[in-house]
Each structure stands twice: as C-alpha cells, then as structure tokens.
Amino acid sequence: MTEPLRPMAQANRISNLLRIVLGDQRFPVQADQVALEYSRQCFPTSPVDKVDGQDLDGFEGMLAVNKARSKWLILYNSAVTSQGRQRFTIAHELGHYLLHRHQQDQFQCGHDDIETGERNKKDIETEADQFASTLLMPLDDFGKQIHGHPVGFDLLGHCADRYGVSLTAAALRWIEIADKRAILVASRDDHMLWAKSNEAAFKSGAFFATRKRTIELPRDALAHSDNGSTTTQSQLLQAKAWFPREPSHVELTEMTKVAGNYNYTLTMLLMPDAEWRQPQHDDEEPEEDTFDRFTNNGQFPDRK
Ligand SMILES: [Zn+2]
C-alpha cells in the first residue's frame, strides 16, 4: 500500500474482512485479536506483537516499538475495569499503529485523548478515535440496530452491549448519524466536561465551546443538581434554555443518564431541524468537524 488510508477507510477495510470471516459473530469486535492478526498479515516485518493490560500510571493506553523497530506493543490500563473502555483503548492504539506509526515511536494516550467528544480538529488523537469508533461500531450494522426504534439511552445501551463499548462511545456514534440536530454533553458538578454536536446542530450554532471556557449547565437541565436525580430521565423544554439564540417556539428533547463508570452524567439533546441557514457563530467556528470528514470522504451512510 503506497498511500496510507484514512481512519474510516482503514476501519472499514478491517470490518469487511471480519464480516467475511465471522459474519454475524463478529460483534463485539475482539480488538486485541484483530490488532495481532491483522498487523501480522499486513505488516509481517513490524507487527503488533503483544497486547497487554498493565497498571499504567496516568495513561489509558500506549503504543510503542522496540529498538529494532521489528515489533510493536499495545498496552492498556488494567486499572480501568470497564471492558468496553479497554476495548476502545486497544482499538484506539491500533488506530495509531495503522495511521501514525511512521510519525512516532511511542504514543501515550491519556484519559482526555480517548473516547471523548471534545475535539473537532484534525489531530492524531481524533483520528485514532474515529478509527476505533468505526471499527467497533460499523455504520451499516449500527444503522440496523437503531432503525425504527425511538432514540434513548435504553436503545443506546443495547448498542453498547452489542458492540462491547461504553454507553458514551455508543452515544457519540449515534449523534454522528442522527438525521436531526443532536448534541451530547458530559457534565459533573453542574459543569460541562465536554460536549459534542453533530453537523446539523453545529452548523445551526447549537454547540458549546467547552475547550475555550468553563460552561455551567442551564438551571433547567435535568443533570443540574437543583433538579437532581440519578435515574434516567427525559423532558421536553424550550430549546432556548440551552441555546439562547433558538426561537421561543422551538422545543428540544433532553435525556440524561448517569454514566456510572466515569462519575459523570450524559445529556442527550435532540432538536428539530434548524429553521434558518445562517450560522451565527462565525467567530467561533472550529476547524473541520468529524462529521464533515464523513461526508468529505464519501462515507456517510445512506439513510434508510
Ligand atoms: Zn492516542
């Protein structure tokens, strides 16, 4: 291969192989086995030689090559008890191996690098996450799971189980392919940890620049401690409670779920299509969004 494939193309290539070999039995994707087998077959002179769990102080995952550059090692943090999180981390490191190993000899990936919706810009951590997400939750199968079902954390929980990933990873995947405006917010102590808007929401100005400033949850938000409860909830409310620029008559559906393993709350915001076309946040427009890359790569799925 002369030209390195982009993250989603790399993942789709492996997905197709798994479908041919394993058929319906391919989920959850065994990321460790894939890393060992695929690298051994495609890159026999410098494969991933070992995938191992260790107590990595301060890291979630690591990819490193030996001195002779003849083999690579993937480590994941065994102190993280969530199997879904471990699977995603291994897939993320495999992404670095396939996409970036000619750039660096070692990758150390912290908690903030993996499985968050925080980034919109192109960097190697975003690419590794895109690879992992696509490999573990291929769009064609994901679409079949959600088609015809009401969206909610129950449905996303089903997807998380099927793919062996965290609820957060499944929810991030869902908003990518949602056909309405959708935003996922992770919060703790009434403040946003990160937020991710899909393309439709982003282009209408419905996003939060959580990397630029600390943002408090709206007082009306279910996840706000003033309304505190730890069970799954949903409510319909004026969109302007979250996004002041939305017209008064626009409502949004808000759903919350405590992501037990991580000690934070997930909030999903679902909104109708935007009614205007002019983005009002030109000054805050980040670089190309994850979602744009789907469409630019021609890989955005047909909606059925
Ligand atoms: Zn990484």
Side-chain angles (χ1 to χ4, degrees):
M1 146 182 12
T2 52
E3 177 100 356
L5 291 170
R6 304 315 306 147
M8 282 164 284
Q10 284 276 9
N12 286 333
R13 168 181 285 198
I14 299 175
S15 275
N16 288 334
L17 287 172
L18 293 175
R19 186 191 301 117
I20 291 165
V21 175
L22 298 171
D24 279 348
Q25 305 303 310
R26 66 191 186 280
F27 301 116
V29 172
Q30 302 302 316
D32 49 352
Q33 293 302 316
V34 169
L36 296 169
E37 287 293 317
Y38 187 76
S39 66
R40 192 167 54 80
Q41 289 184 22
C42 295
F43 312 104
T45 58
S46 58
V48 175
D49 179 60
K50 192 174 179 188
V51 179
D52 199 16
Q54 284 187 15
D55 198 349
L56 300 175
D57 194 18
F59 298 106
E60 292 274 303
M62 189 186 289
L63 171 72
V65 71
N66 67 350
K67 279 213 176 84
R69 295 192 65 84
S70 61
K71 56 187 182 181
W72 291 79
L73 168 68
I74 289 177
L75 296 177
Y76 59 91
N77 192 344
S78 56
V80 175
T81 53
S82 159
Q83 254 203 333
R85 179 78 182 187
Q86 290 180 355
R87 186 190 314 278
F88 201 96
T89 297
I90 295 167
H92 175 106
E93 299 306 329
L94 175 58
H96 282 317
Y97 171 83
L98 293 171
L99 299 161
H100 312 126
R101 72 181 182 279
H102 302 301
Q103 301 171 24
Q104 291 173 215
D105 287 347
Q106 194 178 93
F107 301 81
Q108 296 179 329
C109 306
H111 186 259
D112 292 343
D113 294 326
I114 299 172
E115 201 188 78
T116 71
E118 196 164 26
R119 284 188 187 73
N120 283 316
K121 65 179 194 275
K122 283 186 205 172
D123 67 6
I124 63 171
E125 299 308 329
T126 305
E127 290 193 340
D129 266 5
Q130 284 177 340
F131 170 84
S133 182
T134 310
L135 176 68
L136 301 179
M137 298 171 278
L139 285 181
D140 55 347
D141 192 84
F142 199 95
K144 281 183 203 158
Q145 302 307 310
I146 62 177
H147 182 69
H149 299 284
V151 176
F153 283 109
D154 286 348
L155 179 64
L156 295 173
H158 156 75
C159 292
D161 287 346
R162 176 174 178 81
Y163 302 118
V165 299
S166 69
L167 188 65
T168 305
L172 284 168
R173 191 67 167 143
W174 183 81
I175 66 164
E176 282 178 353
I177 63 171
D179 59 2
K180 300 285 183 188
R181 292 189 286 165
I183 303 100
L184 187 69
V185 178
S187 66
R188 182 188 296 144
D189 299 332
D190 299 337
H191 289 81
M192 297 183 194
L193 299 171
W194 50 261
K196 174 72 182 174
S197 297
N198 70 359
E199 186 214 28
F202 177 73
K203 291 202 164 154
S204 76
F207 63 83
F208 301 104
T210 51
R211 279 177 84 79
K212 293 187 177 171
R213 61 177 187 274
T214 303
I215 303 177
E216 193 175 353
L217 292 178
R219 291 302 280 266
D220 291 336
L222 287 171
H224 198 284
S225 57
D226 285 0
N227 312 309
S229 167
T230 54
T231 55
T232 303
Q233 294 185 36
S234 69
Q235 69 173 355
L236 194 65
L237 79 169
Q238 279 191 317
K240 63 194 289 186
W242 283 84
F243 304 104
R245 290 172 178 164
E246 289 289 316
S248 296
H249 66 275
V250 174
E251 292 186 314
L252 64 73
T253 303
E254 180 187 332
M255 292 177 279
T256 62
K257 173 89 176 171
V258 173
N261 284 330
Y262 311 133
N263 190 26
Y264 60 69
T265 301
L266 285 175
T267 297
M268 179 90 80
L269 304 172
L270 306 180
M271 301 168 75
D273 286 332
E275 294 181 9
W276 70 94
R277 292 286 169 260
Q278 291 298 316
Q280 300 187 15
H281 279 229
D282 286 338
D283 54 333
E284 291 188 73
E285 187 128 352
E287 297 171 38
E288 186 183 46
D289 186 80
T290 309
F291 189 95
D292 292 324
R293 307 181 65 192
F294 270 97
T295 47
N296 291 347
N297 291 344
Q299 292 172 341
F300 195 68
D302 289 330
R303 297 208 178 92
K304 302 191 178 79

